[in-house]
Amino acid sequence: MYTEKVMDHFQNPRNVGEIENPSGMGTVGNARCGDIMRIYLDIDDQQVIRDVKFKTFGCGAAVATSSMATELVKGKTVQEAMQVTNKAVMEALDGLPPVKVHCSLLAEEAIHAALWDYAEKTGIVIEGLERPRTDISEHEEEEEY
Ligand code: FES
């Protein structure tokens, strides 16, 4: 049911933990399944994401997608990190079962929430970034895949 990459990132998640005094931090949840994700970003003066960590209280797919998402944003600029959508993360994992696609939204939203926090603190404008939702289940039906 799960690809090898999903199993690998689920069993050996990368970048688990937290960052003290992060440049940005975001927490989002899905009220329907009760899963929660928190992302910490360490961003330097050049707006490059030097380090990223995550913590999750979530299902295996949420762990795997967060792990892959953190790998994809590390070393990127904050603007480039906007390209790391849940679709990009799923592609990098060679796909997710359809019932688990919503789990990948947690990682994308948590990264956006952390970027939003950073943008608010620094006054930097990140193109395309919208105010994050704290509960991703509200709009789930509207999402199309
Ligand atoms: Fe809730 Fe996967 S079931 S994030």
Side-chain angles (χ1 to χ4, degrees):
M1 177 174 168
Y2 289 115
T3 67
E4 261 175 46
K5 281 191 190 161
V6 173
M7 289 310 291
D8 176 32
H9 278 265
F10 168 56
Q11 281 165 342
N12 310 294
R14 300 6 169 218
N15 308 310
V16 173
E18 52 189 284
I19 293 173
E20 254 182 71
N21 303 318
S23 315
M25 186 186 84
T27 309
V28 296
N30 182 327
R32 260 188 230 164
C33 61
D35 292 351
I36 297 167
M37 171 83 48
R38 178 170 288 171
I39 295 262
Y40 303 83
L41 297 174
D42 181 24
I43 301 167
D44 71 12
D45 295 346
Q46 308 301 313
Q47 299 179 20
V48 173
I49 298 171
R50 287 288 162 214
D51 199 11
V52 48
K53 295 268 190 256
F54 81 94
K55 270 188 168 176
T56 186
F57 182 80
C59 71
V63 171
T65 49
S66 304
S67 168
M68 181 56 94
T70 55
E71 286 286 273
L72 292 177
V73 298
K74 208 190 252 185
K76 297 227 162 75
T77 66
V78 292
Q79 198 62 58
E80 287 166 349
M82 291 297 294
Q83 310 300 321
V84 180
T85 60
N86 75 308
K87 284 196 183 122
V89 172
M90 282 194 298
E91 269 170 33
L93 286 169
D94 297 333
L96 274 179
V99 294
K100 287 288 171 186
V101 168
H102 76 273
C103 313
S104 64
L105 286 171
L106 267 185
E108 179 187 316
E109 281 296 318
I111 287 172
H112 286 184
L115 287 172
W116 182 270
D117 181 37
Y118 163 75
E120 279 206 318
K121 280 188 197 156
T122 55
I124 284 164
V125 176
I126 302 175
E127 229 172 283
L129 184 63
E130 289 174 10
R131 179 176 284 280
R133 325 170 216 155
T134 49
D135 174 11
I136 62 160
S137 71
E138 284 168 28
H139 300 269
E140 248 173 39
E141 274 105 55
E142 295 162 25
E143 306 281 350
E144 284 185 29
Y145 304 102

